[in-house]
Amino acid sequence: MPILRVALDVPLNILFDYLPPDTGITAQDIGVRARVPFGRNTMTGVIVEIATFSDVSPEKLKRAEHIFRDIPPLPPASLDLFRFCSEYYHHPLGEVVMNGLPNRLRSSKPFVMRTSPNILGYRLTATGREADISAIPHRSVAKRRLLKKLKETSIMDSQEAKELSKRASLALKELLALHWVEEIPLALPSASPSAHRTSSLPDLTAAQKNAIDVIAPRITEFNTWLLHGVTGSGKTEVYLRLISLRLQQARQTLVLVPEINLTPQLEAIFRARFPSVRLVSLHSGLSPNERMDSWLQAQQGDAEIILGTRLAVFTPLPKLGLVIVDEEHDLSFKQQDGLRYSARDVAIFRAKQAGVPIILGSATPSLETYYNAVTGRYLQLQLPVRAVRNATLPLIRCIDTRNTKTEESVSAPVITALEKCLALNQQSLVFINRRGYAPVLLCRSCGWAAACHRCASRLVVHLREKKLRCHHCGHQEPFPSLCPECGNQDIAPFGHGTQRVEATLAQHFPNARIMRIDRDSTARKDAWQQMLKDIQEQRVDILVGTQILAKGHDFQNLSLVTILNSDASLFSTDFRASERLFAQLMQVAGRAGRGGIPGEVLIQTEFPDHPLYYALRQHDYDSLAQTLLEERRTAGFPPFIYQALLRADAPKLADALSFLATASAMVKVPQQVEVFDPVPAQLARLKGTERAYLLVQSKSRKKLQEFLGAWRAKLDVLPNRKVRWTLDVDPLEF
DNA sequence: AGCACGCCGACT
DNA sequence: GTCGGCGTGCTC
């Protein structure tokens, strides 16, 4: 009797064995979902193995209830990918597998295959053509519009229908029921290479051409390529040409981007270049059905370009031919809870597994990636100049705030530069990476500062909303009128955020059109897209905003960038702070002067001689990267060492710390592996739970992995009252 | 993670 | 005398 080995979404590091259902199973059922009894409930999991025997005693074995054969099974490559992630990140296989599936496949309801909305067409029946539109009630606007349009165009797809009215799908259903309209399958958009637009492609720079010429002959083999291009150097164009190559060979391309924000823009660019190609996007902003549609098209090999955020890295892609990770240095590729994977690293595994190239693109590669490039593990290609004719890198200057007065955190040279920009009708960007009005509310009498009661953090003043807010847990409370400690009225916001800078600039430039862009102002659905449009269409003069502005956008008429307050990160205890600050400033600075008008960047700082600002002024990523790498080498930090954290959360910090101490004491630490003392996390309390961690590191990734594996087995059986723990391999935050 | 079983405090 | 607190143990 065959035994089904099922991966279930439970935090247990085992598979569960089941007898096959009465309907039987076949070898083809590896990789399909099964509904099984589990404890008192039933659960849906994935069959990852079919065995001939079970170690579980026969009387305990239950019978699987149902095998879902509604969609094709997950291919062996996907199961291997999940197994790799489970082993490398030391996370239960069941959680890894179920985390990789769209929600619709995790439920215990069978998935009803509906015809994809894009490929259904509608047309009038004979009855429909004779029907009298005026007989339709006037308030049925959707129905009227649909019928009118159908009479004009004879066939339309559901996409077009939706554009006519939000209620189109409902109206269509009614019309179908009346037999006025019928559904017809439309031919899939043709994917023939000849359909690609080949005329009027942009001219390539020499460096772009070189990059393509170097990669193209090796487009069918695995290599990790670092495409290191300055801001505005046209990395996207290189992606497009390489994708086009693979499209001609009927291969799929997976494109990973750091944020949802960037998908619409990139999607538009890709669709414009490849109008007849099937492109799907995959990110957390989709509805369960949309996500399911995209996933299915990808899994069946119909979608040729898959554009998504980190979660897209788990999509089965039978014809994978190329992987692109844009802005590879971005932190958001690392998941910060549950399965703590790095989508960039998982993507490299996938490329290797499929034997296809992967392109890591960035203007400021992570030091890990850079190090791999200089040591030759990755192949590096440079794009050193901007792609737009006459566009040069902006001139970067520092304003020494030790001897230049600032008023409300803005110095006179910045004001002058903004004035000049306004006079020229060019746009400017004021970067301050801190949203809200002020980062802290202080009592000047007793020194009290408003703090979050659930987190170890200060509350941020949001003056416009008259609220104090915690940026970590979202808690908010009304703005107090007196100090709650001493009753004094002398409480005042201290420091500067986007709201405050916006207010200051509004006073200076009453006639300028100022737009604030941060998570608060872009929270409303589609707000950011609308704001982008306003910027592109020159309805804004000065942009005040956070890092949202830093990423990937082309503002053609933007000539000035000012950076107000970035010194704090210079002397942070986090050894990655400099790397991040540099990347961020380089990205923001890179917004200036992209369209061919000369750009200027002003940085207010008390440390203009700091090597980081020096490198920034020279646009010299390499020399700073070399310096930082040397520092990391001497200090024994990554990439010269491999790290992992054992993280523990508990209501009381002492419990978390003592759990970690026990965990550390119960294991023999092998040669070449170091285990450090438990310490409270940087943000020691978050949403009411105390957090601590323990650092483990080794020069040998293999030794570290072996140790973690053995340790985890012991941790699994360690009684952990009140404490929740996880392993974080290759941690980025401490 | 759920979910039950199980043994000790304040209530109809 | 019960209702219910959350400690401990199990899930094929």
Side-chain angles (χ1 to χ4, degrees), chain A residues 13-33:
Chain A
N13 188 29
I14 47 168
L15 296 173
F16 290 87
D17 294 357
Y18 289 89
L19 298 168
D22 304 324
T23 50
I25 51 140
T26 73
Q28 270 75 61
D29 290 328
I30 292 180
V32 303
R33 289 163 297 133

Side-chain angles (χ1 to χ4, degrees), chain A residues 274-294:
Chain A
F274 306 118
S276 62
V277 161
R278 296 252 258 161
L279 180 152
V280 296
S281 55
L282 272 167
H283 53 75
S284 57
L286 301 177
S287 76
N289 282 335
E290 289 170 322
R291 182 145 160 217
M292 187 64 212
D293 275 335
S294 296

Side-chain angles (χ1 to χ4, degrees), chain A residues 15 49 299 310 348 652 660 681 687 722:
Chain A
L15 296 173
E49 290 167 30
Q299 191 242 19
R310 61 169 181 265
I348 294 172
K652 299 189 70 184
L660 292 171
K687 299 181 189 176
K722 295 174 264 183

Side-chain angles (χ1 to χ4, degrees), chain A residues 367-368 371 374-375 625-643 697-700:
Chain A
L367 283 186
E368 282 80 358
Y371 181 65
V374 294
T375 55
Q626 302 276 356
T627 310
L628 292 179
L629 271 184
E630 213 35 64
E631 282 175 22
R632 299 258 188 110
R633 187 199 299 277
T634 16
F637 285 136
F640 299 97
I641 203 146
Y642 298 99
Q643 298 185 321
Q697 63 180 32
S698 172
K699 284 207 152 111
S700 153

